[in-house]
Each structure stands twice: as C-alpha cells, then as structure tokens.
Amino acid sequence: ASSGSEPGYAMLTNLLLMKGDKAGALATATRFMEFDPGSPDASMLVVYLLMTGGELEKAEQLMREIILKWPHHADGWVRLSCILDERADGDGAIEAIKRAVEIDPRDLVRLTHFAYLAGRFGREEIAIQAFHNAIRIDPRNLSLYSAFARVEAQAGRFTEAAALIDRAIQLAPH
C-alpha cells in the first residue's frame, strides 16, 4: 500500500545526486525500493545508480531480479541491455533488447536501440531488419535513415547506404 511518499523518495534521490552525494542518493533509492516493493520503478532507480557508480555486476544482478518479477516491464529489458552492453556481452545485450522490442514492437526508441546494438556487435542483418521495421513505423523520421545508412556502410553495402542518404535528402524540408 502506498502512503504517498514515493515522489518524496525520488525527489530526495535526485536532490542528493545534484548535490554530488552519490552514496546518499543510493541509500535513499534503496530505502525507496524497500518501501515500494510492488513497483519496478524504485528498483530501476537503484539499478541506474549502481550502473552510474560502476557497479555493473550488482546492477545486472538486481536488474535480473526485477525482470524475473516483472517480465513484461520493457524498460527493465532495455536497462539490462545497457548493462550487458557496458559489460561487452553482445549476445546478452541483443537478447535483452530483443525482449523489450517483443513487448512493444512499435516503440521506435527500443527498436532503434535494438538496431544499434545489433550493428555494434556485428549483427548487421539483424540491425538492417530492425531499421526496416522502424522505417515502416515512421517513414519520415530522417534520423532513422542516417543511422540505417551507417549500418549498411559498416556491412560494406555502400550502394544501399547512399540510397538511404538520398532518401533522407528527398524527405528533408527544403
């Protein structure tokens, strides 16, 4: 049951971060997590603080606990993909972001993050398919074309990359 203190914990955590007190922020966020075990948001805040503090192993462990408890919380899968990316676990990062995309396949941020990670870890075909899906969702989004062109070029497909840049130029307001 909520007592209405959740915003207070979150605000205090942010204030402590702004002040430069990372330890105090982590302690406050941990109290928030203990206070509100029925919500992934408090736990996600602790994971974020662990990540930014360089405690990737602890962050990954807590994030895995969160996604076990809330497997349909897409942001949890995104955060896990970021942790695994930081730990240079390409397969794990791609699998985690893929789960987030499966939860909400029309979310462009998650879809482009999936494409980015796939391209970053040498899975160009997966990245290309993800960009195709993203462009189908938002065909006028110019940044998708440039990011897609970069992946095509990395894969040695310069003709395709140039065609994407041409398409972006055609779509740009004149």
Side-chain angles (χ1 to χ4, degrees):
S2 169
S3 71
S5 296
E6 295 91 340
Y9 278 111
M11 288 172 49
L12 180 57
T13 300
N14 287 327
L15 181 64
L16 290 166
L17 276 176
M18 290 169 60
K19 191 175 145 190
D21 183 358
K22 290 182 181 181
L26 182 58
T28 301
T30 301
R31 282 196 301 274
F32 178 24
M33 180 178 70
E34 292 164 354
F35 172 79
D36 190 8
S39 167
D41 297 332
S43 299
M44 293 276 291
L45 182 57
V46 173
V47 168
Y48 170 77
L49 292 169
L50 290 169
M51 282 179 66
T52 59
E55 297 185 60
L56 296 176
E57 189 173 324
K58 286 182 183 178
E60 180 182 346
Q61 180 181 352
L62 179 56
M63 196 66 252
R64 288 189 183 281
E65 291 172 18
I66 293 167
I67 59 177
L68 278 175
K69 196 171 183 180
W70 294 284
H72 299 293
H73 185 64
D75 289 341
W77 290 102
V78 172
R79 183 68 49 87
L80 180 60
S81 77
C82 293
I83 294 167
L84 296 172
D85 180 22
E86 286 287 318
R87 298 189 80 186
D89 178 356
D91 290 340
I94 291 167
E95 186 57 36
I97 193 63
K98 180 181 174 191
R99 293 287 301 270
V101 169
E102 288 169 349
I103 291 167
D104 186 0
R106 296 193 58 81
D107 185 295
L108 279 177
V109 172
R110 294 180 189 129
L111 194 53
T112 55
H113 187 66
F114 177 45
Y116 163 77
L117 284 175
R120 174 170 148 66
F121 288 105
R123 309 285 171 60
E124 286 87 5
E125 290 305 316
I126 293 170
I128 288 166
Q129 184 58 50
F131 275 120
H132 277 296
N133 293 342
I135 287 173
R136 268 195 293 279
I137 292 166
D138 189 359
R140 300 200 63 78
N141 185 328
L142 300 181
S143 65
L144 290 175
Y145 290 91
S146 63
F148 189 2
R150 206 170 310 119
V151 170
E152 290 280 28
Q154 287 171 342
R157 293 147 67 131
F158 300 105
T159 302
E160 292 87 345
L164 287 163
I165 296 301
D166 285 344
R167 181 69 181 137
I169 291 168
Q170 292 168 10
L171 292 172
H174 293 87

